[in-house]
């Protein structure tokens, strides 16, 4: 447990509505990540952050934006949710040198109807 | 781009026996890290074991060990004395070494392990 919480844990929303998922960490890690998990795909990186206000895109970033105004919080926003964004979303932190281990939050199950 | 392949969607093993989960990867990098994660029904992603590519010695964590074959780009996970609590999805993951801070993991599609009592 790397002190990572995600909120909400479950959410059902309608197509076209905005949605924000929150990731909060307590151990001051520099690197934070958002992944989505879908059957047959494993986990795929959406966006990541390497510091406050420093973010970059991952492999499946279309339709998502992120923000990081504080070290401990990393927000993922779906500007206009679509059914293809129904998924389980995981936040992760990285310990950095020398082990580079990533630890994950408990996940958020998002359903877009 | 790096890819990670887990060719066994499902595996099963008798309780107390040993099972090996396979993983292969493709990369042009010489230095990198490999990981195995466990995802039980609770959905939590749990780090099981880590292997640094520059280390020739295979990593071991209690009943979990790896067989790392760098030339073959193979990274298998061996679970000894399987227990009911080992039932889960297992994901292999690759992390390259980058100068640009892109420390993302590339995951395989997972192997579902069933433990037979």
């Amino acid at each position: 447990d790397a002190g990572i919480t995600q909120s909400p844990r479950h959410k059902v929303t309608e197509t076209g509505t905005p949605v924000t998922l929150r990731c909060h960490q307590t151990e001051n890690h520099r690197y934070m990540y958002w992944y989505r998990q879908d059957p047959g795909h494993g986990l795929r990186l959406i966006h990541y952050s390497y510091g406050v206000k420093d973010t970059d895109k991952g492999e499946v970033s279309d339709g998502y934006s992120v923000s990081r105004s504080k070290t401990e919080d990393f927000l993922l926003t779906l500007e206009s949710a679509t059914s293809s964004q129904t998924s389980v979303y995981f936040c992760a932190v990285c310990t950095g040198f020398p082990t580079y281990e990533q630890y994950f939050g408990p996940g958020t199950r998002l359903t877009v109807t | 781009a790096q890819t990670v392949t887990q060719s066994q969607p499902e595996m099963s093993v008798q309780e107390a026996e040993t099972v090996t989960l396979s993983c292969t990867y493709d990369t042009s990098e010489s230095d990198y890290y490999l990981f195995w994660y466990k995802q039980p029904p609770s959905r939590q992603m749990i780090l099981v074991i880590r292997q640094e590519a520059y280390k020739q010695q295979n990593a071991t964590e209690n009943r979990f060990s790896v067989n790392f074959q760098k030339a073959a780009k193979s990274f298998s996970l061996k679970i000894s004395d399987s227990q009911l609590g080992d039932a889960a999805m297992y994901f292999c993951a690759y992390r390259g070494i980058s100068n640009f801070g892109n420390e993302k993991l590339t995951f395989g599609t997972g192997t579902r392990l069933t433990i037979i009592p």
Side-chain angles (χ1 to χ4, degrees):
Chain A
D1 183 354
I4 306 168
T5 56
Q6 293 184 231
S7 59
R9 295 293 311 280
H10 300 88
K11 186 171 182 64
V12 180
T13 191
E14 293 184 349
T15 298
T17 61
V19 177
T20 296
L21 307 183
R22 179 179 183 248
C23 177
H24 179 79
Q25 58 139 334
T26 60
E27 299 190 3
N28 207 35
H29 293 293
R30 178 183 175 190
Y31 292 93
M32 298 185 74
Y33 307 81
W34 277 107
Y35 293 89
R36 61 178 287 175
Q37 183 178 24
D38 304 290
H41 289 279
L43 278 78
R44 293 179 292 174
L45 182 67
I46 305 171
H47 281 280
Y48 66 99
S49 170
Y50 46 96
V52 173
K53 298 185 179 179
D54 291 323
T55 64
D56 206 347
K57 297 178 180 179
E59 60 183 304
V60 290
S61 59
D62 287 349
Y64 302 95
S65 62
V66 291
S67 65
R68 192 169 179 200
S69 59
K70 298 185 291 185
T71 299
E72 59 266 34
D73 290 325
F74 192 30
L75 304 181
L76 176 70
T77 297
L78 291 65
E79 300 291 346
S80 178
T82 67
S83 58
S84 65
Q85 293 176 312
T86 292
S87 187
V88 179
Y89 292 85
F90 286 96
C91 174
V93 300
C94 183
T95 58
F97 183 83
T99 61
Y100 295 112
E101 294 175 347
Q102 285 197 15
Y103 293 94
F104 288 79
T108 294
R109 180 176 294 279
L110 176 67
T111 302
V112 183
T113 62
Chain B
Q2 291 80 20
T3 58
V4 177
T5 301
Q6 294 180 250
S7 59
Q8 306 155 315
E10 296 183 352
M11 293 277 289
S12 62
V13 63
Q14 206 80 28
E15 192 176 3
E17 296 297 309
T18 295
V19 64
T20 298
L21 309 183
S22 301
C23 173
T24 59
Y25 56 95
D26 185 29
T27 183
S28 58
E29 298 178 316
S30 59
D31 197 12
Y32 46 86
Y33 289 69
L34 296 164
F35 304 88
W36 279 97
Y37 282 86
K38 170 185 177 181
Q39 187 179 40
S42 67
R43 198 171 68 201
Q44 179 70 52
M45 292 289 288
I46 302 166
L47 177 63
V48 174
I49 200 163
R50 178 189 82 249
Q51 175 76 46
E52 292 91 332
Y54 64 85
K55 290 186 177 179
Q56 293 186 340
Q57 186 173 6
N58 289 323
T60 299
E61 290 286 345
N62 300 315
R63 297 182 296 109
F64 298 87
S65 62
V66 300
N67 183 4
F68 173 50
Q69 301 290 328
K70 190 173 184 180
K73 296 179 182 176
S74 171
F75 182 59
S76 60
L77 175 70
K78 185 172 80 172
I79 306 174
S80 303
D81 184 26
S82 298
Q83 301 175 1
L84 295 178
D86 295 333
M89 281 287 286
Y90 285 83
F91 292 95
C92 177
Y94 170 100
R95 179 198 177 281
I97 303 294
S98 167
N99 293 326
F100 300 102
N102 181 4
E103 302 177 5
K104 73 182 185 75
L105 291 177
T106 300
F107 285 86
T109 53
T111 296
R112 183 173 301 281
L113 178 65
T114 300
I115 310 297
I116 303 168

